[in-house]
Amino acid sequence: MGDNLKQKVRTRFAPSPTGFMHVGNLRSALYGFLFARQNGGSFILRIEDTDLERFVPGAVDVIYSTLKQAGISFDEGPNEGGAYGPYVQSERKHLYLEYAKKLLASKHAYYCFCTKERLDSLKDEMGVARYDKHCLHLSEEEVNERLARGEKFVIRQNMPTQGTSSFHDLVFGNITIDNSELEDHILIKSDGMPTYNFANVVDDHLMAITHVIRGNEYLSSTPKYNLLYQAFGWTIPEYMHLTPIMKDETRKLSKRHGDANFDDFINKGYLSQAIVNYIALLGWSPKSTEEKFTMDELIEKFSIAGLSKSSSIFDENKMKWLNGEYIKELSFADFMKYARPFFEKSVIKDRYDYEKFGKILQSRIEIFSEIPEKVAFIDQYHFIDPIMYDNKKFKIDAGVAKEVLLEAILVLDDCQLWNEEMLHAAIKTISEKMQIKSGAVYSVLRIALSSVAVTPGGSVEIADILGKKESMRRLRQSLLWLN
Ligand code: GLU
């Protein structure tokens, strides 16, 4: 087929409105988006809300706001409109029944009136029931009578019991299964709503989806879906099934709320671009060893060949590292915009200059939620153990530290101005006068001002943040501790 005759690529994201966006769902959305954009195709949002019990009000807004933050846009969907709507399954209810009736007529489906009790009696010792085609054998008369009586029914797909079914998956290659493994699953439920098993096929066809990209929990059911396409005489789409994202070697990342959701990561202080970048790499690898990609680069580089056949482990430390790289690249103004809410939650709230801390922290944090703990030292001035001054590099010990502190107190007390420039100059004066490396003076002062061995930021930055009065108090206090 020449390129100009090729069908335009159409992919879709088909979330159920659960009220949160699991990273696995976000990854399906991302790959569908990347593949559509890369091929000049269309990306469609379809809301799969046929499970009325699971419906969460406001959940569609969560889907929209998450994808917007993630930089993923749609060409068609509930808000965008489009020629293939409506894009919400509950608004398409009548369609499914209409198509199910076609299958009833061609005997690819049948009415089933079995009660819960009967179905329960089919369960094996593991509690798993496999439907035994009981109602397939009801006479047409009986079916019509029971329907006329208003008996509750479902519509089941009539699976072949012999032979095999095969299909090609773009990630997993050729898959063949024995038809005897296929259960006559429900297409239309007793509330008149379709199951996912039916609605996905009808909608993917009616919405002209060319590539179905979804989690591989649907891989084993795909032969059943293909039988539906065949029963209708429709073209089967291309499939890309994605391997699960794991918590560790054995456990899947759970879909429960609170475990690996986009919003949770945003609240923890991740940047959306970093989350998207990291998620892109969970199940897809670029040809190079590069790890940092803008959305445009992802669109360019994404490839089916790079999709993984084995599951990927969600490594939050890796995502943190990546986030840190993104944080370093922010303009200072943007950095402060994200950082401010975390300063507000920290001990420095309304007491110190946020920007001064911001300057120290931008290159030192990986996620914004580290801010409160990173600034906490400012209030934890507790005690200095002389041993903290043992520094071989600068050849200092508590004795040298005391001398430096005495000199620093004299020099700094005389300072009229108190800013970084002046503090650097004062340290230079002290080091020259005492013939001691300036690095040693910085170290002595840093410990004296903070009382901790490791601080974000050096002595001058800390002294500047604390101001002259508090800095002098701390220098004198440390001298007492060392005596
Ligand atoms: N509603 C399904 C889910 O959220 C969609 C699966 C699919 O993409 O077909 O798992």
PDB file of all heavy atoms in Angstrom, residues 254-268:
ATOM      1  N   SER A 254       0.274  -1.258  42.409  1.00  0.00           N
ATOM      2  CA  SER A 254      -1.169  -1.433  42.587  1.00  0.00           C
ATOM      3  C   SER A 254      -1.941  -0.262  42.005  1.00  0.00           C
ATOM      4  O   SER A 254      -1.432   0.848  41.881  1.00  0.00           O
ATOM      5  CB  SER A 254      -1.478  -1.637  44.063  1.00  0.00           C
ATOM      6  OG  SER A 254      -2.171  -0.539  44.566  1.00  0.00           O
ATOM      7  N   LYS A 255      -3.182  -0.537  41.656  1.00  0.00           N
ATOM      8  CA  LYS A 255      -4.011   0.512  41.068  1.00  0.00           C
ATOM      9  C   LYS A 255      -4.785   1.280  42.134  1.00  0.00           C
ATOM     10  O   LYS A 255      -5.574   2.131  41.826  1.00  0.00           O
ATOM     11  CB  LYS A 255      -4.983  -0.095  40.046  1.00  0.00           C
ATOM     12  CG  LYS A 255      -4.290  -0.442  38.751  1.00  0.00           C
ATOM     13  CD  LYS A 255      -5.259  -0.471  37.592  1.00  0.00           C
ATOM     14  CE  LYS A 255      -4.479  -0.686  36.306  1.00  0.00           C
ATOM     15  NZ  LYS A 255      -5.303  -0.832  35.152  1.00  0.00           N
ATOM     16  N   ARG A 256      -4.537   0.890  43.377  1.00  0.00           N
ATOM     17  CA  ARG A 256      -5.276   1.557  44.439  1.00  0.00           C
ATOM     18  C   ARG A 256      -4.927   3.038  44.486  1.00  0.00           C
ATOM     19  O   ARG A 256      -3.825   3.453  44.130  1.00  0.00           O
ATOM     20  CB  ARG A 256      -4.936   0.940  45.796  1.00  0.00           C
ATOM     21  CG  ARG A 256      -5.892  -0.125  46.220  1.00  0.00           C
ATOM     22  CD  ARG A 256      -5.428  -0.736  47.518  1.00  0.00           C
ATOM     23  NE  ARG A 256      -4.041  -1.172  47.429  1.00  0.00           N
ATOM     24  CZ  ARG A 256      -3.053  -0.674  48.144  1.00  0.00           C
ATOM     25  NH1 ARG A 256      -3.271   0.303  48.987  1.00  0.00           N
ATOM     26  NH2 ARG A 256      -1.832  -1.147  48.025  1.00  0.00           N
ATOM     27  N   HIS A 257      -5.862   3.801  45.020  1.00  0.00           N
ATOM     28  CA  HIS A 257      -5.617   5.218  45.208  1.00  0.00           C
ATOM     29  C   HIS A 257      -4.451   5.372  46.176  1.00  0.00           C
ATOM     30  O   HIS A 257      -4.327   4.634  47.119  1.00  0.00           O
ATOM     31  CB  HIS A 257      -6.877   5.861  45.800  1.00  0.00           C
ATOM     32  CG  HIS A 257      -6.900   7.326  45.571  1.00  0.00           C
ATOM     33  ND1 HIS A 257      -7.982   8.092  45.811  1.00  0.00           N
ATOM     34  CD2 HIS A 257      -5.959   8.158  45.097  1.00  0.00           C
ATOM     35  CE1 HIS A 257      -7.716   9.343  45.515  1.00  0.00           C
ATOM     36  NE2 HIS A 257      -6.490   9.397  45.076  1.00  0.00           N
ATOM     37  N   GLY A 258      -3.588   6.311  45.937  1.00  0.00           N
ATOM     38  CA  GLY A 258      -2.498   6.546  46.874  1.00  0.00           C
ATOM     39  C   GLY A 258      -1.240   5.798  46.510  1.00  0.00           C
ATOM     40  O   GLY A 258      -0.200   5.992  47.124  1.00  0.00           O
ATOM     41  N   ASP A 259      -1.304   4.934  45.528  1.00  0.00           N
ATOM     42  CA  ASP A 259      -0.093   4.212  45.140  1.00  0.00           C
ATOM     43  C   ASP A 259       0.255   4.591  43.704  1.00  0.00           C
ATOM     44  O   ASP A 259      -0.368   4.118  42.770  1.00  0.00           O
ATOM     45  CB  ASP A 259      -0.346   2.693  45.242  1.00  0.00           C
ATOM     46  CG  ASP A 259       0.959   1.922  45.294  1.00  0.00           C
ATOM     47  OD1 ASP A 259       2.015   2.566  45.290  1.00  0.00           O
ATOM     48  OD2 ASP A 259       0.900   0.683  45.342  1.00  0.00           O
ATOM     49  N   ALA A 260       1.249   5.427  43.584  1.00  0.00           N
ATOM     50  CA  ALA A 260       1.747   5.792  42.258  1.00  0.00           C
ATOM     51  C   ALA A 260       0.722   6.473  41.365  1.00  0.00           C
ATOM     52  O   ALA A 260       0.486   6.064  40.243  1.00  0.00           O
ATOM     53  CB  ALA A 260       2.309   4.549  41.561  1.00  0.00           C
ATOM     54  N   ASN A 261       0.097   7.507  41.889  1.00  0.00           N
ATOM     55  CA  ASN A 261      -0.793   8.301  41.055  1.00  0.00           C
ATOM     56  C   ASN A 261      -0.128   9.607  40.683  1.00  0.00           C
ATOM     57  O   ASN A 261       0.652  10.155  41.454  1.00  0.00           O
ATOM     58  CB  ASN A 261      -2.086   8.611  41.803  1.00  0.00           C
ATOM     59  CG  ASN A 261      -2.848   7.355  42.042  1.00  0.00           C
ATOM     60  OD1 ASN A 261      -3.100   6.597  41.111  1.00  0.00           O
ATOM     61  ND2 ASN A 261      -3.158   7.084  43.281  1.00  0.00           N
ATOM     62  N   PHE A 262      -0.490  10.099  39.533  1.00  0.00           N
ATOM     63  CA  PHE A 262       0.095  11.339  39.039  1.00  0.00           C
ATOM     64  C   PHE A 262      -0.027  12.457  40.083  1.00  0.00           C
ATOM     65  O   PHE A 262       0.947  13.134  40.404  1.00  0.00           O
ATOM     66  CB  PHE A 262      -0.604  11.723  37.730  1.00  0.00           C
ATOM     67  CG  PHE A 262      -0.038  12.944  37.086  1.00  0.00           C
ATOM     68  CD1 PHE A 262       1.091  12.859  36.292  1.00  0.00           C
ATOM     69  CD2 PHE A 262      -0.637  14.184  37.262  1.00  0.00           C
ATOM     70  CE1 PHE A 262       1.620  13.991  35.688  1.00  0.00           C
ATOM     71  CE2 PHE A 262      -0.120  15.315  36.660  1.00  0.00           C
ATOM     72  CZ  PHE A 262       1.009  15.212  35.872  1.00  0.00           C
ATOM     73  N   ASP A 263      -1.227  12.620  40.629  1.00  0.00           N
ATOM     74  CA  ASP A 263      -1.463  13.699  41.596  1.00  0.00           C
ATOM     75  C   ASP A 263      -0.586  13.587  42.823  1.00  0.00           C
ATOM     76  O   ASP A 263      -0.110  14.578  43.360  1.00  0.00           O
ATOM     77  CB  ASP A 263      -2.920  13.647  42.078  1.00  0.00           C
ATOM     78  CG  ASP A 263      -3.798  14.414  41.132  1.00  0.00           C
ATOM     79  OD1 ASP A 263      -3.251  15.010  40.194  1.00  0.00           O
ATOM     80  OD2 ASP A 263      -5.026  14.404  41.344  1.00  0.00           O
ATOM     81  N   ASP A 264      -0.404  12.349  43.295  1.00  0.00           N
ATOM     82  CA  ASP A 264       0.439  12.162  44.481  1.00  0.00           C
ATOM     83  C   ASP A 264       1.852  12.648  44.190  1.00  0.00           C
ATOM     84  O   ASP A 264       2.506  13.248  45.036  1.00  0.00           O
ATOM     85  CB  ASP A 264       0.515  10.683  44.886  1.00  0.00           C
ATOM     86  CG  ASP A 264      -0.842  10.160  45.323  1.00  0.00           C
ATOM     87  OD1 ASP A 264      -1.672  10.981  45.742  1.00  0.00           O
ATOM     88  OD2 ASP A 264      -1.054   8.943  45.246  1.00  0.00           O
ATOM     89  N   PHE A 265       2.328  12.355  43.006  1.00  0.00           N
ATOM     90  CA  PHE A 265       3.687  12.775  42.665  1.00  0.00           C
ATOM     91  C   PHE A 265       3.785  14.302  42.537  1.00  0.00           C
ATOM     92  O   PHE A 265       4.759  14.898  42.966  1.00  0.00           O
ATOM     93  CB  PHE A 265       4.168  12.098  41.375  1.00  0.00           C
ATOM     94  CG  PHE A 265       4.402  10.625  41.552  1.00  0.00           C
ATOM     95  CD1 PHE A 265       3.809   9.699  40.714  1.00  0.00           C
ATOM     96  CD2 PHE A 265       5.213  10.171  42.583  1.00  0.00           C
ATOM     97  CE1 PHE A 265       4.014   8.341  40.894  1.00  0.00           C
ATOM     98  CE2 PHE A 265       5.424   8.819  42.770  1.00  0.00           C
ATOM     99  CZ  PHE A 265       4.825   7.907  41.922  1.00  0.00           C
ATOM    100  N   ILE A 266       2.744  14.899  41.967  1.00  0.00           N
ATOM    101  CA  ILE A 266       2.744  16.364  41.864  1.00  0.00           C
ATOM    102  C   ILE A 266       2.754  16.956  43.282  1.00  0.00           C
ATOM    103  O   ILE A 266       3.512  17.868  43.580  1.00  0.00           O
ATOM    104  CB  ILE A 266       1.498  16.863  41.072  1.00  0.00           C
ATOM    105  CG1 ILE A 266       1.603  16.411  39.610  1.00  0.00           C
ATOM    106  CG2 ILE A 266       1.317  18.365  41.188  1.00  0.00           C
ATOM    107  CD1 ILE A 266       2.622  17.134  38.757  1.00  0.00           C
ATOM    108  N   ASN A 267       1.930  16.389  44.166  1.00  0.00           N
ATOM    109  CA  ASN A 267       1.886  16.919  45.531  1.00  0.00           C
ATOM    110  C   ASN A 267       3.197  16.734  46.279  1.00  0.00           C
ATOM    111  O   ASN A 267       3.530  17.499  47.167  1.00  0.00           O
ATOM    112  CB  ASN A 267       0.745  16.272  46.327  1.00  0.00           C
ATOM    113  CG  ASN A 267      -0.607  16.676  45.770  1.00  0.00           C
ATOM    114  OD1 ASN A 267      -0.717  17.702  45.098  1.00  0.00           O
ATOM    115  ND2 ASN A 267      -1.625  15.866  46.020  1.00  0.00           N
ATOM    116  N   LYS A 268       3.931  15.683  45.906  1.00  0.00           N
ATOM    117  CA  LYS A 268       5.233  15.466  46.537  1.00  0.00           C
ATOM    118  C   LYS A 268       6.291  16.420  45.991  1.00  0.00           C
ATOM    119  O   LYS A 268       7.422  16.416  46.442  1.00  0.00           O
ATOM    120  CB  LYS A 268       5.717  14.049  46.217  1.00  0.00           C
ATOM    121  CG  LYS A 268       5.301  12.993  47.178  1.00  0.00           C
ATOM    122  CD  LYS A 268       6.249  11.818  46.998  1.00  0.00           C
ATOM    123  CE  LYS A 268       5.565  10.504  47.267  1.00  0.00           C
ATOM    124  NZ  LYS A 268       6.387   9.367  46.860  1.00  0.00           N
TER     125      LYS A 268
END
